[in-house]
Amino acid sequence: MPSTISNNPAAAQAVTITLASLADDAARQGTAVVPGGSLDELIAGEITLAASGISAFGVLELFVAASLDGTNFAGGGSAADADFTGDLRHLAPLATLPADANSQTVTFAGLSVAEALGGTVPPRWSLVVLNDTGQPLAGGTIRRVPVTRRVVEDA
C-alpha cells in the first residue's frame, strides 16, 4: 500500500533566554534545547528594541551553539540562560535581522536550526543572540517548533 511522508510540526515551545536589558555589543545564550529526535527545529520570535537611541545601522544576530554531549557547546558556551562570553566565530549563523528603529519589534519566523548546521540537528543546541543596536534591548520572546516526519498510509 502506498504511503505519503510529510513534515509534522509540533506545537511551539518557549526557548528560555533573557533578552530584557541585553546591553549593546553583548551576547546572551539560552538554556540548552534537547530536540528529542526532531529532524529540524524552526525558530520564531519577537525582540523589542529600546525606546530611543537605536542606531540607524542596528542589527540583531542569531546563532546556534551545537553540543554533542550537552556539556561542551561550540564557541565555549554553556547550557545556561546567561551572558555569552565565548567566541561567536565558532557558532553557526542563524540570521542577521535589521533592527534600526526606536521601539521597533523585530519579528521573525521559520529560521531553521538544521539548515544553519549543515542539514542536521545536534543532540543539544542553544540559541545565542548578539545585540548590535546601539542600546540595551527592551525584551523579547523566542519559540521553537520541532519538526518530525509523519507517514500516512494512502487509502
Side-chain angles (χ1 to χ4, degrees), residues 15-107:
V15 172
T16 302
I17 184 168
T18 304
L19 296 174
S21 301
L22 177 61
D24 177 51
D25 203 29
R28 182 88 181 176
Q29 64 188 28
T31 58
V33 173
V34 181
S38 59
L39 298 173
D40 200 355
E41 299 269 323
L42 301 178
I43 306 300
E46 304 82 32
I47 299 174
T48 305
L49 306 184
S52 64
I54 296 299
S55 168
F57 305 102
V59 294
L60 296 167
E61 294 185 62
L62 280 60
F63 300 89
V64 177
S67 174
L68 298 178
D69 60 9
T71 300
N72 299 299
F73 284 79
S78 71
D81 178 11
D83 292 335
F84 181 82
T85 58
D87 191 340
L88 292 169
R89 297 173 301 165
H90 296 283
L91 304 182
L94 187 62
T96 299
L97 306 169
D100 52 9
N102 295 335
S103 300
Q104 177 183 6
T105 298
V106 179
T107 303

Side-chain angles (χ1 to χ4, degrees), residues 8-14 144-146:
N8 186 34
Q13 301 168 23
R144 70 184 183 96
V145 176

